[in-house]
Amino acid sequence: MRKPKVIMHNSITLDGSFRDIEVDMELHYGTASNFGEDIHLVGANTAKIGIEMFGGLPPEEEDDLRKQERDETIPIWAIVDSKGILKGSLHVFRRFEMCRDVVVLVSASTPEDYLQYLKDRDYDFIVTGEKHADLKEALRLLADRYEAGTVMVDSGSSLNGALLEQGLVDEISLIVLPFLTGGETESLFANIGKMKHIELELLKCEKLQKGYVWLVYGIKRSSNK
């Protein structure tokens, strides 16, 4: 099995904050469309915050219990959720027109009632790892099962940090907002180990509207320590 290309894509301030900022969704997803993603990878906590930000949780309906017929060019959303945080909420993403359907990455410790919830609603899921989903194995299975060549990660510091720590990210794409948050801001890269050194190669530097800048970096594998 092969590993797909993995691209981190985030909107951040100049001092690295990704929380409590007003993201320009048109720019964020407009630039992301250049990557031709097959899989849209997100962590459960980020997904839950997204539901709260964009209208809350609507009641589940009959059509939500089965897969929707959508164009195969639309990416599948893969959600890392070993703890079952999104039980009762996944229909929000199944309804989203830019989501072909949902596959959930779980582990051997995932609650059985959550797995039954997934089975009852015909959600695909991949079991790897013991306490947490084995991200390396999960990515390989995503590539094999869904013929995925490119995975775009649109998540917070926990999932991004884990992927970077394990050497699974190929490129980092950042939309940099022209302001500083200051204070006790949470950096997107806060969860990279203190001794981890990741050397980058600049692939793109493009000025966007409103003073935003789009940066894309490749990760130099031979220089990782």
Side-chain angles (χ1 to χ4, degrees), residues 72-106:
E72 292 190 358
T73 61
I74 297 173
I76 291 170
W77 281 47
I79 302 178
V80 184
D81 190 15
S82 290
K83 296 180 180 179
I85 291 172
L86 295 175
K87 183 181 178 183
S89 303
L90 288 175
H91 60 283
V92 173
F93 304 100
R94 178 168 268 177
R95 290 182 188 182
F96 184 37
E97 62 183 9
M98 296 310 296
C99 168
R100 194 192 325 167
D101 202 25
V102 175
V103 56
V104 185
L105 308 184
V106 298

PDB file of all heavy atoms in Angstrom, residues 72-106:
ATOM      1  N   GLU A  72     -18.004  11.999  -8.191  1.00  0.00           N
ATOM      2  CA  GLU A  72     -16.792  11.401  -7.638  1.00  0.00           C
ATOM      3  C   GLU A  72     -15.612  12.352  -7.596  1.00  0.00           C
ATOM      4  O   GLU A  72     -14.577  12.017  -7.010  1.00  0.00           O
ATOM      5  CB  GLU A  72     -16.428  10.134  -8.416  1.00  0.00           C
ATOM      6  CG  GLU A  72     -17.426   9.010  -8.209  1.00  0.00           C
ATOM      7  CD  GLU A  72     -16.945   7.689  -8.775  1.00  0.00           C
ATOM      8  OE1 GLU A  72     -15.840   7.665  -9.361  1.00  0.00           O
ATOM      9  OE2 GLU A  72     -17.673   6.690  -8.639  1.00  0.00           O
ATOM     10  N   THR A  73     -15.744  13.522  -8.215  1.00  0.00           N
ATOM     11  CA  THR A  73     -14.673  14.519  -8.124  1.00  0.00           C
ATOM     12  C   THR A  73     -14.712  15.255  -6.786  1.00  0.00           C
ATOM     13  O   THR A  73     -13.758  15.929  -6.411  1.00  0.00           O
ATOM     14  CB  THR A  73     -14.774  15.543  -9.270  1.00  0.00           C
ATOM     15  OG1 THR A  73     -16.024  16.234  -9.187  1.00  0.00           O
ATOM     16  CG2 THR A  73     -14.665  14.857 -10.621  1.00  0.00           C
ATOM     17  N   ILE A  74     -15.816  15.146  -6.063  1.00  0.00           N
ATOM     18  CA  ILE A  74     -15.942  15.781  -4.745  1.00  0.00           C
ATOM     19  C   ILE A  74     -15.190  14.931  -3.724  1.00  0.00           C
ATOM     20  O   ILE A  74     -15.313  13.703  -3.724  1.00  0.00           O
ATOM     21  CB  ILE A  74     -17.425  15.911  -4.353  1.00  0.00           C
ATOM     22  CG1 ILE A  74     -18.154  16.821  -5.351  1.00  0.00           C
ATOM     23  CG2 ILE A  74     -17.567  16.453  -2.927  1.00  0.00           C
ATOM     24  CD1 ILE A  74     -19.650  16.875  -5.148  1.00  0.00           C
ATOM     25  N   PRO A  75     -14.391  15.535  -2.859  1.00  0.00           N
ATOM     26  CA  PRO A  75     -13.592  14.742  -1.914  1.00  0.00           C
ATOM     27  C   PRO A  75     -14.425  14.042  -0.845  1.00  0.00           C
ATOM     28  O   PRO A  75     -15.491  14.511  -0.459  1.00  0.00           O
ATOM     29  CB  PRO A  75     -12.655  15.779  -1.283  1.00  0.00           C
ATOM     30  CG  PRO A  75     -13.367  17.081  -1.431  1.00  0.00           C
ATOM     31  CD  PRO A  75     -14.100  16.980  -2.739  1.00  0.00           C
ATOM     32  N   ILE A  76     -13.911  12.919  -0.387  1.00  0.00           N
ATOM     33  CA  ILE A  76     -14.445  12.242   0.784  1.00  0.00           C
ATOM     34  C   ILE A  76     -13.868  12.915   2.020  1.00  0.00           C
ATOM     35  O   ILE A  76     -12.694  13.289   2.044  1.00  0.00           O
ATOM     36  CB  ILE A  76     -14.055  10.749   0.752  1.00  0.00           C
ATOM     37  CG1 ILE A  76     -14.792  10.043  -0.386  1.00  0.00           C
ATOM     38  CG2 ILE A  76     -14.330  10.074   2.094  1.00  0.00           C
ATOM     39  CD1 ILE A  76     -14.295   8.643  -0.655  1.00  0.00           C
ATOM     40  N   TRP A  77     -14.676  13.071   3.045  1.00  0.00           N
ATOM     41  CA  TRP A  77     -14.187  13.636   4.300  1.00  0.00           C
ATOM     42  C   TRP A  77     -13.824  12.499   5.250  1.00  0.00           C
ATOM     43  O   TRP A  77     -14.678  11.657   5.576  1.00  0.00           O
ATOM     44  CB  TRP A  77     -15.239  14.546   4.929  1.00  0.00           C
ATOM     45  CG  TRP A  77     -15.294  15.906   4.307  1.00  0.00           C
ATOM     46  CD1 TRP A  77     -15.313  16.187   2.968  1.00  0.00           C
ATOM     47  CD2 TRP A  77     -15.332  17.161   4.979  1.00  0.00           C
ATOM     48  NE1 TRP A  77     -15.361  17.544   2.765  1.00  0.00           N
ATOM     49  CE2 TRP A  77     -15.371  18.168   3.987  1.00  0.00           C
ATOM     50  CE3 TRP A  77     -15.349  17.532   6.315  1.00  0.00           C
ATOM     51  CZ2 TRP A  77     -15.410  19.524   4.297  1.00  0.00           C
ATOM     52  CZ3 TRP A  77     -15.391  18.881   6.636  1.00  0.00           C
ATOM     53  CH2 TRP A  77     -15.414  19.863   5.631  1.00  0.00           C
ATOM     54  N   ALA A  78     -12.580  12.459   5.675  1.00  0.00           N
ATOM     55  CA  ALA A  78     -12.106  11.482   6.650  1.00  0.00           C
ATOM     56  C   ALA A  78     -11.946  12.202   7.988  1.00  0.00           C
ATOM     57  O   ALA A  78     -11.218  13.190   8.079  1.00  0.00           O
ATOM     58  CB  ALA A  78     -10.784  10.871   6.204  1.00  0.00           C
ATOM     59  N   ILE A  79     -12.633  11.702   9.002  1.00  0.00           N
ATOM     60  CA  ILE A  79     -12.633  12.354  10.309  1.00  0.00           C
ATOM     61  C   ILE A  79     -12.002  11.427  11.342  1.00  0.00           C
ATOM     62  O   ILE A  79     -12.415  10.273  11.483  1.00  0.00           O
ATOM     63  CB  ILE A  79     -14.058  12.737  10.736  1.00  0.00           C
ATOM     64  CG1 ILE A  79     -14.689  13.662   9.678  1.00  0.00           C
ATOM     65  CG2 ILE A  79     -14.050  13.420  12.102  1.00  0.00           C
ATOM     66  CD1 ILE A  79     -16.124  14.069   9.980  1.00  0.00           C
ATOM     67  N   VAL A  80     -10.972  11.933  12.035  1.00  0.00           N
ATOM     68  CA  VAL A  80     -10.299  11.152  13.071  1.00  0.00           C
ATOM     69  C   VAL A  80     -11.113  11.277  14.362  1.00  0.00           C
ATOM     70  O   VAL A  80     -11.219  12.357  14.937  1.00  0.00           O
ATOM     71  CB  VAL A  80      -8.862  11.657  13.296  1.00  0.00           C
ATOM     72  CG1 VAL A  80      -8.136  10.763  14.307  1.00  0.00           C
ATOM     73  CG2 VAL A  80      -8.089  11.709  11.978  1.00  0.00           C
ATOM     74  N   ASP A  81     -11.693  10.167  14.799  1.00  0.00           N
ATOM     75  CA  ASP A  81     -12.609  10.245  15.947  1.00  0.00           C
ATOM     76  C   ASP A  81     -12.627   8.931  16.730  1.00  0.00           C
ATOM     77  O   ASP A  81     -13.636   8.226  16.768  1.00  0.00           O
ATOM     78  CB  ASP A  81     -14.015  10.609  15.468  1.00  0.00           C
ATOM     79  CG  ASP A  81     -14.966  10.938  16.612  1.00  0.00           C
ATOM     80  OD1 ASP A  81     -14.476  11.168  17.733  1.00  0.00           O
ATOM     81  OD2 ASP A  81     -16.186  10.964  16.382  1.00  0.00           O
ATOM     82  N   SER A  82     -11.537   8.619  17.394  1.00  0.00           N
ATOM     83  CA  SER A  82     -11.453   7.379  18.167  1.00  0.00           C
ATOM     84  C   SER A  82     -12.374   7.377  19.381  1.00  0.00           C
ATOM     85  O   SER A  82     -12.806   6.317  19.840  1.00  0.00           O
ATOM     86  CB  SER A  82     -10.008   7.141  18.635  1.00  0.00           C
ATOM     87  OG  SER A  82      -9.175   6.818  17.550  1.00  0.00           O
ATOM     88  N   LYS A  83     -12.687   8.558  19.927  1.00  0.00           N
ATOM     89  CA  LYS A  83     -13.482   8.638  21.149  1.00  0.00           C
ATOM     90  C   LYS A  83     -14.987   8.712  20.899  1.00  0.00           C
ATOM     91  O   LYS A  83     -15.780   8.707  21.836  1.00  0.00           O
ATOM     92  CB  LYS A  83     -13.039   9.847  21.974  1.00  0.00           C
ATOM     93  CG  LYS A  83     -11.602   9.747  22.474  1.00  0.00           C
ATOM     94  CD  LYS A  83     -11.224  10.971  23.292  1.00  0.00           C
ATOM     95  CE  LYS A  83      -9.790  10.869  23.804  1.00  0.00           C
ATOM     96  NZ  LYS A  83      -9.409  12.074  24.597  1.00  0.00           N
ATOM     97  N   GLY A  84     -15.383   8.829  19.638  1.00  0.00           N
ATOM     98  CA  GLY A  84     -16.810   8.912  19.337  1.00  0.00           C
ATOM     99  C   GLY A  84     -17.419  10.263  19.662  1.00  0.00           C
ATOM    100  O   GLY A  84     -18.599  10.360  19.997  1.00  0.00           O
ATOM    101  N   ILE A  85     -16.618  11.313  19.555  1.00  0.00           N
ATOM    102  CA  ILE A  85     -17.067  12.665  19.885  1.00  0.00           C
ATOM    103  C   ILE A  85     -18.241  13.098  19.004  1.00  0.00           C
ATOM    104  O   ILE A  85     -19.129  13.826  19.450  1.00  0.00           O
ATOM    105  CB  ILE A  85     -15.889  13.657  19.743  1.00  0.00           C
ATOM    106  CG1 ILE A  85     -14.848  13.400  20.836  1.00  0.00           C
ATOM    107  CG2 ILE A  85     -16.368  15.107  19.792  1.00  0.00           C
ATOM    108  CD1 ILE A  85     -13.569  14.192  20.666  1.00  0.00           C
ATOM    109  N   LEU A  86     -18.255  12.625  17.764  1.00  0.00           N
ATOM    110  CA  LEU A  86     -19.247  13.109  16.801  1.00  0.00           C
ATOM    111  C   LEU A  86     -20.459  12.191  16.659  1.00  0.00           C
ATOM    112  O   LEU A  86     -21.200  12.301  15.677  1.00  0.00           O
ATOM    113  CB  LEU A  86     -18.580  13.311  15.437  1.00  0.00           C
ATOM    114  CG  LEU A  86     -17.506  14.398  15.410  1.00  0.00           C
ATOM    115  CD1 LEU A  86     -16.810  14.435  14.057  1.00  0.00           C
ATOM    116  CD2 LEU A  86     -18.098  15.764  15.730  1.00  0.00           C
ATOM    117  N   LYS A  87     -20.679  11.338  17.633  1.00  0.00           N
ATOM    118  CA  LYS A  87     -21.883  10.505  17.600  1.00  0.00           C
ATOM    119  C   LYS A  87     -23.124  11.406  17.579  1.00  0.00           C
ATOM    120  O   LYS A  87     -23.270  12.304  18.401  1.00  0.00           O
ATOM    121  CB  LYS A  87     -21.939   9.591  18.822  1.00  0.00           C
ATOM    122  CG  LYS A  87     -23.137   8.656  18.809  1.00  0.00           C
ATOM    123  CD  LYS A  87     -23.175   7.773  20.054  1.00  0.00           C
ATOM    124  CE  LYS A  87     -24.414   6.890  20.041  1.00  0.00           C
ATOM    125  NZ  LYS A  87     -24.512   6.060  21.274  1.00  0.00           N
ATOM    126  N   GLY A  88     -23.994  11.191  16.608  1.00  0.00           N
ATOM    127  CA  GLY A  88     -25.196  12.004  16.465  1.00  0.00           C
ATOM    128  C   GLY A  88     -25.003  13.269  15.666  1.00  0.00           C
ATOM    129  O   GLY A  88     -25.966  14.026  15.473  1.00  0.00           O
ATOM    130  N   SER A  89     -23.764  13.496  15.146  1.00  0.00           N
ATOM    131  CA  SER A  89     -23.469  14.758  14.453  1.00  0.00           C
ATOM    132  C   SER A  89     -22.993  14.586  13.018  1.00  0.00           C
ATOM    133  O   SER A  89     -22.926  15.568  12.277  1.00  0.00           O
ATOM    134  CB  SER A  89     -22.391  15.531  15.222  1.00  0.00           C
ATOM    135  OG  SER A  89     -22.776  15.769  16.554  1.00  0.00           O
ATOM    136  N   LEU A  90     -22.659  13.388  12.615  1.00  0.00           N
ATOM    137  CA  LEU A  90     -22.015  13.197  11.315  1.00  0.00           C
ATOM    138  C   LEU A  90     -22.910  13.566  10.135  1.00  0.00           C
ATOM    139  O   LEU A  90     -22.411  13.849   9.040  1.00  0.00           O
ATOM    140  CB  LEU A  90     -21.532  11.756  11.166  1.00  0.00           C
ATOM    141  CG  LEU A  90     -20.323  11.367  12.019  1.00  0.00           C
ATOM    142  CD1 LEU A  90     -20.026   9.885  11.863  1.00  0.00           C
ATOM    143  CD2 LEU A  90     -19.102  12.194  11.631  1.00  0.00           C
ATOM    144  N   HIS A  91     -24.226  13.589  10.348  1.00  0.00           N
ATOM    145  CA  HIS A  91     -25.115  13.933   9.236  1.00  0.00           C
ATOM    146  C   HIS A  91     -24.908  15.364   8.740  1.00  0.00           C
ATOM    147  O   HIS A  91     -25.236  15.680   7.603  1.00  0.00           O
ATOM    148  CB  HIS A  91     -26.582  13.717   9.626  1.00  0.00           C
ATOM    149  CG  HIS A  91     -27.038  14.525  10.794  1.00  0.00           C
ATOM    150  ND1 HIS A  91     -26.724  14.194  12.091  1.00  0.00           N
ATOM    151  CD2 HIS A  91     -27.808  15.652  10.866  1.00  0.00           C
ATOM    152  CE1 HIS A  91     -27.282  15.081  12.907  1.00  0.00           C
ATOM    153  NE2 HIS A  91     -27.942  15.974  12.191  1.00  0.00           N
ATOM    154  N   VAL A  92     -24.340  16.213   9.588  1.00  0.00           N
ATOM    155  CA  VAL A  92     -24.031  17.588   9.159  1.00  0.00           C
ATOM    156  C   VAL A  92     -23.074  17.555   7.982  1.00  0.00           C
ATOM    157  O   VAL A  92     -23.229  18.298   6.997  1.00  0.00           O
ATOM    158  CB  VAL A  92     -23.422  18.395  10.320  1.00  0.00           C
ATOM    159  CG1 VAL A  92     -22.946  19.760   9.834  1.00  0.00           C
ATOM    160  CG2 VAL A  92     -24.434  18.563  11.444  1.00  0.00           C
ATOM    161  N   PHE A  93     -22.080  16.672   8.040  1.00  0.00           N
ATOM    162  CA  PHE A  93     -21.084  16.591   6.973  1.00  0.00           C
ATOM    163  C   PHE A  93     -21.610  15.808   5.784  1.00  0.00           C
ATOM    164  O   PHE A  93     -21.299  16.133   4.641  1.00  0.00           O
ATOM    165  CB  PHE A  93     -19.794  15.975   7.522  1.00  0.00           C
ATOM    166  CG  PHE A  93     -19.260  16.731   8.706  1.00  0.00           C
ATOM    167  CD1 PHE A  93     -19.485  16.279   9.996  1.00  0.00           C
ATOM    168  CD2 PHE A  93     -18.590  17.927   8.530  1.00  0.00           C
ATOM    169  CE1 PHE A  93     -19.036  16.992  11.094  1.00  0.00           C
ATOM    170  CE2 PHE A  93     -18.137  18.654   9.626  1.00  0.00           C
ATOM    171  CZ  PHE A  93     -18.368  18.189  10.903  1.00  0.00           C
ATOM    172  N   ARG A  94     -22.418  14.807   6.047  1.00  0.00           N
ATOM    173  CA  ARG A  94     -23.016  14.047   4.944  1.00  0.00           C
ATOM    174  C   ARG A  94     -23.913  14.954   4.100  1.00  0.00           C
ATOM    175  O   ARG A  94     -24.035  14.767   2.882  1.00  0.00           O
ATOM    176  CB  ARG A  94     -23.804  12.861   5.502  1.00  0.00           C
ATOM    177  CG  ARG A  94     -24.497  12.034   4.454  1.00  0.00           C
ATOM    178  CD  ARG A  94     -25.006  10.727   5.020  1.00  0.00           C
ATOM    179  NE  ARG A  94     -24.032   9.658   4.861  1.00  0.00           N
ATOM    180  CZ  ARG A  94     -24.187   8.417   5.316  1.00  0.00           C
ATOM    181  NH1 ARG A  94     -25.275   8.105   6.011  1.00  0.00           N
ATOM    182  NH2 ARG A  94     -23.275   7.490   5.096  1.00  0.00           N
ATOM    183  N   ARG A  95     -24.530  15.940   4.697  1.00  0.00           N
ATOM    184  CA  ARG A  95     -25.378  16.880   3.950  1.00  0.00           C
ATOM    185  C   ARG A  95     -24.580  17.899   3.152  1.00  0.00           C
ATOM    186  O   ARG A  95     -25.085  18.480   2.191  1.00  0.00           O
ATOM    187  CB  ARG A  95     -26.280  17.646   4.916  1.00  0.00           C
ATOM    188  CG  ARG A  95     -27.369  16.844   5.561  1.00  0.00           C
ATOM    189  CD  ARG A  95     -28.224  17.745   6.455  1.00  0.00           C
ATOM    190  NE  ARG A  95     -29.182  16.974   7.245  1.00  0.00           N
ATOM    191  CZ  ARG A  95     -30.053  17.527   8.068  1.00  0.00           C
ATOM    192  NH1 ARG A  95     -30.091  18.857   8.203  1.00  0.00           N
ATOM    193  NH2 ARG A  95     -30.886  16.783   8.756  1.00  0.00           N
ATOM    194  N   PHE A  96     -23.357  18.165   3.568  1.00  0.00           N
ATOM    195  CA  PHE A  96     -22.545  19.223   2.968  1.00  0.00           C
ATOM    196  C   PHE A  96     -22.255  18.898   1.507  1.00  0.00           C
ATOM    197  O   PHE A  96     -21.726  17.828   1.185  1.00  0.00           O
ATOM    198  CB  PHE A  96     -21.247  19.378   3.753  1.00  0.00           C
ATOM    199  CG  PHE A  96     -20.349  20.496   3.302  1.00  0.00           C
ATOM    200  CD1 PHE A  96     -20.867  21.706   2.870  1.00  0.00           C
ATOM    201  CD2 PHE A  96     -18.975  20.345   3.326  1.00  0.00           C
ATOM    202  CE1 PHE A  96     -20.044  22.738   2.455  1.00  0.00           C
ATOM    203  CE2 PHE A  96     -18.130  21.370   2.910  1.00  0.00           C
ATOM    204  CZ  PHE A  96     -18.664  22.568   2.475  1.00  0.00           C
ATOM    205  N   GLU A  97     -22.600  19.801   0.621  1.00  0.00           N
ATOM    206  CA  GLU A  97     -22.505  19.534  -0.816  1.00  0.00           C
ATOM    207  C   GLU A  97     -21.078  19.341  -1.302  1.00  0.00           C
ATOM    208  O   GLU A  97     -20.854  18.750  -2.368  1.00  0.00           O
ATOM    209  CB  GLU A  97     -23.158  20.671  -1.611  1.00  0.00           C
ATOM    210  CG  GLU A  97     -22.508  22.029  -1.423  1.00  0.00           C
ATOM    211  CD  GLU A  97     -23.222  23.134  -2.172  1.00  0.00           C
ATOM    212  OE1 GLU A  97     -24.317  22.873  -2.707  1.00  0.00           O
ATOM    213  OE2 GLU A  97     -22.702  24.250  -2.210  1.00  0.00           O
ATOM    214  N   MET A  98     -20.089  19.816  -0.533  1.00  0.00           N
ATOM    215  CA  MET A  98     -18.688  19.644  -0.920  1.00  0.00           C
ATOM    216  C   MET A  98     -18.052  18.430  -0.244  1.00  0.00           C
ATOM    217  O   MET A  98     -16.839  18.285  -0.217  1.00  0.00           O
ATOM    218  CB  MET A  98     -17.894  20.904  -0.589  1.00  0.00           C
ATOM    219  CG  MET A  98     -18.327  22.130  -1.360  1.00  0.00           C
ATOM    220  SD  MET A  98     -18.437  21.825  -3.166  1.00  0.00           S
ATOM    221  CE  MET A  98     -16.721  21.482  -3.552  1.00  0.00           C
ATOM    222  N   CYS A  99     -18.887  17.552   0.286  1.00  0.00           N
ATOM    223  CA  CYS A  99     -18.439  16.308   0.901  1.00  0.00           C
ATOM    224  C   CYS A  99     -19.130  15.150   0.188  1.00  0.00           C
ATOM    225  O   CYS A  99     -20.363  15.055   0.221  1.00  0.00           O
ATOM    226  CB  CYS A  99     -18.767  16.310   2.395  1.00  0.00           C
ATOM    227  SG  CYS A  99     -18.578  14.721   3.218  1.00  0.00           S
ATOM    228  N   ARG A 100     -18.366  14.277  -0.463  1.00  0.00           N
ATOM    229  CA  ARG A 100     -18.979  13.134  -1.155  1.00  0.00           C
ATOM    230  C   ARG A 100     -19.614  12.185  -0.141  1.00  0.00           C
ATOM    231  O   ARG A 100     -20.725  11.722  -0.309  1.00  0.00           O
ATOM    232  CB  ARG A 100     -17.952  12.384  -1.991  1.00  0.00           C
ATOM    233  CG  ARG A 100     -18.563  11.409  -2.973  1.00  0.00           C
ATOM    234  CD  ARG A 100     -17.589  10.446  -3.612  1.00  0.00           C
ATOM    235  NE  ARG A 100     -16.269  10.988  -3.865  1.00  0.00           N
ATOM    236  CZ  ARG A 100     -15.232  10.234  -4.178  1.00  0.00           C
ATOM    237  NH1 ARG A 100     -15.364   8.916  -4.271  1.00  0.00           N
ATOM    238  NH2 ARG A 100     -14.055  10.775  -4.392  1.00  0.00           N
ATOM    239  N   ASP A 101     -18.892  11.885   0.904  1.00  0.00           N
ATOM    240  CA  ASP A 101     -19.421  11.151   2.052  1.00  0.00           C
ATOM    241  C   ASP A 101     -18.342  11.134   3.135  1.00  0.00           C
ATOM    242  O   ASP A 101     -17.237  11.666   2.937  1.00  0.00           O
ATOM    243  CB  ASP A 101     -19.851   9.734   1.695  1.00  0.00           C
ATOM    244  CG  ASP A 101     -20.865   9.175   2.699  1.00  0.00           C
ATOM    245  OD1 ASP A 101     -21.577   9.974   3.347  1.00  0.00           O
ATOM    246  OD2 ASP A 101     -20.939   7.951   2.845  1.00  0.00           O
ATOM    247  N   VAL A 102     -18.647  10.508   4.251  1.00  0.00           N
ATOM    248  CA  VAL A 102     -17.771  10.524   5.426  1.00  0.00           C
ATOM    249  C   VAL A 102     -17.201   9.139   5.684  1.00  0.00           C
ATOM    250  O   VAL A 102     -17.928   8.134   5.606  1.00  0.00           O
ATOM    251  CB  VAL A 102     -18.554  10.989   6.669  1.00  0.00           C
ATOM    252  CG1 VAL A 102     -17.690  10.903   7.920  1.00  0.00           C
ATOM    253  CG2 VAL A 102     -19.064  12.422   6.472  1.00  0.00           C
ATOM    254  N   VAL A 103     -15.896   9.083   5.982  1.00  0.00           N
ATOM    255  CA  VAL A 103     -15.271   7.875   6.508  1.00  0.00           C
ATOM    256  C   VAL A 103     -14.628   8.265   7.835  1.00  0.00           C
ATOM    257  O   VAL A 103     -14.028   9.336   7.945  1.00  0.00           O
ATOM    258  CB  VAL A 103     -14.238   7.281   5.524  1.00  0.00           C
ATOM    259  CG1 VAL A 103     -13.186   8.297   5.141  1.00  0.00           C
ATOM    260  CG2 VAL A 103     -13.559   6.056   6.122  1.00  0.00           C
ATOM    261  N   VAL A 104     -14.780   7.447   8.853  1.00  0.00           N
ATOM    262  CA  VAL A 104     -14.303   7.784  10.185  1.00  0.00           C
ATOM    263  C   VAL A 104     -13.106   6.899  10.539  1.00  0.00           C
ATOM    264  O   VAL A 104     -13.143   5.678  10.345  1.00  0.00           O
ATOM    265  CB  VAL A 104     -15.417   7.605  11.233  1.00  0.00           C
ATOM    266  CG1 VAL A 104     -14.945   8.081  12.603  1.00  0.00           C
ATOM    267  CG2 VAL A 104     -16.668   8.384  10.815  1.00  0.00           C
ATOM    268  N   LEU A 105     -12.038   7.533  11.045  1.00  0.00           N
ATOM    269  CA  LEU A 105     -10.831   6.814  11.458  1.00  0.00           C
ATOM    270  C   LEU A 105     -10.909   6.576  12.955  1.00  0.00           C
ATOM    271  O   LEU A 105     -10.915   7.524  13.744  1.00  0.00           O
ATOM    272  CB  LEU A 105      -9.583   7.625  11.104  1.00  0.00           C
ATOM    273  CG  LEU A 105      -9.487   8.106   9.648  1.00  0.00           C
ATOM    274  CD1 LEU A 105      -8.157   8.809   9.413  1.00  0.00           C
ATOM    275  CD2 LEU A 105      -9.667   6.953   8.670  1.00  0.00           C
ATOM    276  N   VAL A 106     -11.009   5.316  13.341  1.00  0.00           N
ATOM    277  CA  VAL A 106     -11.190   4.944  14.744  1.00  0.00           C
ATOM    278  C   VAL A 106     -10.070   3.984  15.159  1.00  0.00           C
ATOM    279  O   VAL A 106      -9.185   3.658  14.372  1.00  0.00           O
ATOM    280  CB  VAL A 106     -12.575   4.309  14.972  1.00  0.00           C
ATOM    281  CG1 VAL A 106     -13.678   5.302  14.647  1.00  0.00           C
ATOM    282  CG2 VAL A 106     -12.743   3.034  14.135  1.00  0.00           C
TER     283      VAL A 106
END
